[in-house]
Amino acid sequence: MSSWRATLPGDAILLQGDHAEGPLLMPQTHRESFVEEFNRTYRSINLSITIREHDPSDESDDATSTLQIQQAQSSQQ
């Protein structure tokens, strides 16, 4: 089933072993410590997070995309 929401570019990628499971939006602060803690905690079940490199094509001036990103980030807090 597909979602009505547009796909947002993730800040990071959730990996299970070498397989990408999906994108993640990261906390706005303390990203590095979040990744370190997650990877240390979940390494035993073969999960890890890697930060994506910034891709200029992810940037959009579209107001709808900006609003969706803000809503997604605020729902994680």
Side-chain angles (χ1 to χ4, degrees):
M1 175 182 287
S2 61
S3 173
W4 59 270
R5 295 179 296 153
T7 301
L8 300 174
D11 300 323
I13 301 168
L14 176 65
L15 299 168
Q16 185 166 22
D18 294 331
H19 178 72
E21 290 295 327
L24 295 173
L25 291 176
M26 297 297 293
Q28 292 181 354
T29 59
H30 309 293
R31 290 174 183 230
E32 291 81 14
S33 61
F34 176 84
V35 170
E36 288 174 16
E37 181 71 20
F38 182 96
N39 289 344
R40 185 169 45 85
T41 302
Y42 294 101
R43 182 173 296 129
S44 65
I45 59 172
N46 210 23
L47 290 177
S48 64
I49 294 174
T50 186
I51 302 288
R52 284 185 55 218
E53 291 186 29
H54 178 71
D55 184 351
S57 67
D58 288 345
E59 298 296 326
S60 173
D61 293 330
D62 180 14
T64 302
S65 295
T66 301
L67 178 61
Q68 288 173 337
I69 291 169
Q70 291 170 344
Q71 289 172 338
Q73 289 173 339
S74 66
S75 70
Q76 290 184 337
Q77 295 177 351

